[in-house]
């Protein structure tokens, strides 16, 4: 082993430089793919490409541990070398902390199924937090490493100015050099551009995570509801106040299309296909259907959850009973009013008591951003089964491959 490390240490300076370059490129790829993955805009735009980008992010993320481990083998010597340079030592620790933190939380997110939603939730908060702190830090670090921005004295390759400094060593030192000023300006600029999104994320994600600031943003979604459907549904006593005590957590608004909006004129709900009797309701008829209330958790595969949702609606089971399923039917195909998104349940899955065609959340109409006026909730499965803007249920023979399943998500969505 020690012979191996000795060999590694030969040509150590060059190795450090190329490690640094490799690591830089890895961080660039992870940052770009990661930002695309969180950016809601890219969901619909990329479709299947998004799943490829996810795999690229995961693979490069796993590979990112290699330069870290390689560095750790050389770290002893490097650390001694930095004896006089506390800031560089600090920088090494920050970057190592970031890389290891991203790696660890990333592995947990990748293995969401093995670790379960509770662990994924924490991993996602850590992954995001490191990103919001780490990316600006690394961007600042790489910009200010550009040679021109370094004080001449600190350059490894001396410039003519150094000689000049040596000629007038006793000359008064300016408090701020021009370069220090520009570095400061870059720092402030980064802070101003990234700061607001960081604060918003803090409020949404951490607040939602701890159940503190979560409802504020939900209020905003309700305020911005672009649906106009009258009359508004009247909550049952179990819904208002919600027996679940109010949802804990923050929904991230996911959509692969522009958010659709509905009025009494263009909204209807249909159950058709292999049924004894095709059913169709307009809004006035649909809100008059007898509803029930359930409390359940909502888990997305990407690592976030919303706990204790009080949903009010009609169970899918009840709707299928009303229509009468023909013996030939095998699959329940669920259509979104966005015209694009679909998913399916087997008849057996659709028979679970907690699969609900929901009209209200925590005693209020579901806002358009969250899939209102009517969305599906399938609490025991990951939320890509919970079709938003649900407006048609078709009973079919054979199978259908849903939107995300066609793009690489697992057919098995059990939490
Ligand atoms: N019509 C439609 N339904 C959808 C989606 C979508 O993009 N379009 N995304 C699914 C996924 S992956 C999740 S996690 C949840 C998110 O619900 P939310 O946007 O209300 O948080 O909706 C599911 N249902
Ligand atoms: Mo999801």
């Amino acid at each position: 082993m020690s012979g191996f490390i000795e060999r590694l240490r030969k040509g150590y300076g060059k190795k450090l430089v190329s490690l640094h370059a490799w690591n830089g490129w890895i961080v660039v790829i992870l940052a770009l793919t990661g930002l695309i993955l969180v950016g809601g805009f890219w969901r619909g735009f990329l479709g299947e490409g998004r799943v490829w980008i996810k795999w690229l992010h995961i693979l490069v993320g796993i590979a990112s541990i290699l330069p870290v481990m390689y560095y750790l083998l050389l770290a002893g010597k490097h650390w001694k070398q930095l004896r006089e340079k506390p800031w560089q030592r600090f920088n090494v620790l920050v970057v190592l902390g970031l890389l290891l933190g991203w790696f660890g939380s990333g592995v947990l997110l990748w293995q969401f199924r093995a670790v379960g939603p509770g662990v994924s939730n924490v991993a996602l908060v850590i992954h995001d937090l490191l990103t919001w702190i780490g990316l600006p830090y690394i961007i600042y670090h790489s910009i200010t490493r550009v040679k021109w921005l370094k004080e001449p004295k600190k350059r490894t390759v001396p410039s003519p100015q150094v000689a000049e400094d040596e000629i007038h060593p006793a000359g008064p030192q300016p408090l701020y050099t021009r370069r220090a000023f520009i570095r400061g300006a870059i720092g402030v600029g980064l802070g101003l551009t990234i700061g607001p999104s960081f604060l918003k994320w803090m409020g949404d994600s951490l607040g939602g995570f701890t159940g503190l600031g979560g409802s504020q943003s939900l209020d905003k979604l309700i305020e911005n509801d672009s649906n106009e459907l009258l009359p508004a549904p009247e909550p049952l006593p179990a819904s208002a106040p919600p027996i679940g005590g109010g949802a804990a957590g923050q929904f991230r608004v996911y959509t692969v299309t522009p958010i659709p909006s509905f009025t009494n004129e263009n909204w209807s709900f249909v159950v058709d296909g292999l049924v004894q009797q095709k059913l169709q309701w307009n809004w006035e008829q649909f809100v008059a259907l007898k509803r029930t209330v359930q409390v359940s958790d909502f888990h997305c595969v990407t690592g976030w959850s919303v706990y204790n949702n009080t949903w009010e609606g009609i169970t899918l089971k009840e709707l299928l009973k009303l229509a009468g399923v023909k013996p030939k039917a095998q699959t329940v195909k669920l259509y979104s009013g966005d015209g694009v998104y679909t998913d399916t349940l087997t008849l057996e899955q659709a028979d679970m008591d907690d699969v609900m065609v929901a009209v209200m959340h925590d005693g209020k109409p579901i806002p358009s951003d969250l899939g209102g006026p009517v969305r599906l909730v399938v609490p025991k499965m990951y939320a890509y089964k919970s079709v938003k803007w649900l407006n048609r249920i078709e009973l079919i023979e054979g199978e259908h491959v849903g939107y995300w399943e066609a793009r690489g998500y697992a057919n098995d969505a059990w939490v």
Side-chain angles (χ1 to χ4, degrees), residues 68 126 153 176 201 206 230 323 402:
V68 172
I126 292 172
K153 270 176 293 187
Y176 290 112
W201 172 83
L206 286 184
L230 293 169

Side-chain angles (χ1 to χ4, degrees), residues 43 254 300-301 383-384:
R43 293 205 139 234
Y254 281 176
C300 172
V301 281
Y384 56 91

Side-chain angles (χ1 to χ4, degrees), residues 110-129:
W110 165 44
Q111 290 299 326
F112 65 92
R113 211 178 264 277
V115 299
V119 173
S120 293
N121 295 169
V122 177
L124 183 64
V125 171
I126 292 172
H127 213 70
D128 283 356
L129 186 65

Side-chain angles (χ1 to χ4, degrees), residues 10-21:
K10 285 221 181 85
Y12 148 93
K14 264 193 205 147
K15 274 177 184 147
L16 271 190
V17 171
S18 72
L19 257 185
H20 189 258

Side-chain angles (χ1 to χ4, degrees), residues 251-280:
F251 289 97
R252 298 191 176 188
V253 176
Y254 281 176
T255 182
V256 295
T257 61
I259 305 266
S261 42
F262 299 95
T263 63
N264 290 62
E265 273 67 55
N266 68 7
W267 190 87
S268 68
F269 197 98
V270 176
V271 182
D272 64 354
L274 298 170
V275 290
Q276 309 293 347
Q277 191 190 351
K278 176 185 168 179
L279 301 174
Q280 175 155 11

Side-chain angles (χ1 to χ4, degrees), residues 43 251-256 298 300 304 336 338 341 369-370 375 383-384 386-389 404 409:
R43 293 205 139 234
F251 289 97
R252 298 191 176 188
V253 176
Y254 281 176
T255 182
V256 295
F298 187 96
C300 172
W304 56 269
S336 168
D338 64 15
Y341 200 91
D369 280 353
L370 299 184
R375 83 172 297 164
Y384 56 91
S386 294
V387 176
K388 296 165 74 170
W389 312 291
W404 280 121
Y409 277 34

Side-chain angles (χ1 to χ4, degrees), residues 73-136:
L73 291 174
L74 305 173
K77 188 169 173 189
H78 191 216
W79 196 248
K80 275 189 211 128
Q81 226 174 31
L82 299 182
R83 208 175 309 128
E84 310 276 290
K85 300 180 172 164
W87 276 107
Q88 289 198 29
R89 279 190 165 185
F90 173 77
N91 183 59
V92 166
L93 288 181
V94 171
V95 171
L96 278 179
L98 283 171
L99 293 171
L100 289 171
W102 270 321
F103 179 80
S105 55
V107 166
L108 294 175
L109 285 169
W110 165 44
Q111 290 299 326
F112 65 92
R113 211 178 264 277
V115 299
V119 173
S120 293
N121 295 169
V122 177
L124 183 64
V125 171
I126 292 172
H127 213 70
D128 283 356
L129 186 65
L130 293 176
T131 302
W132 285 114
I133 295 171
L135 261 196

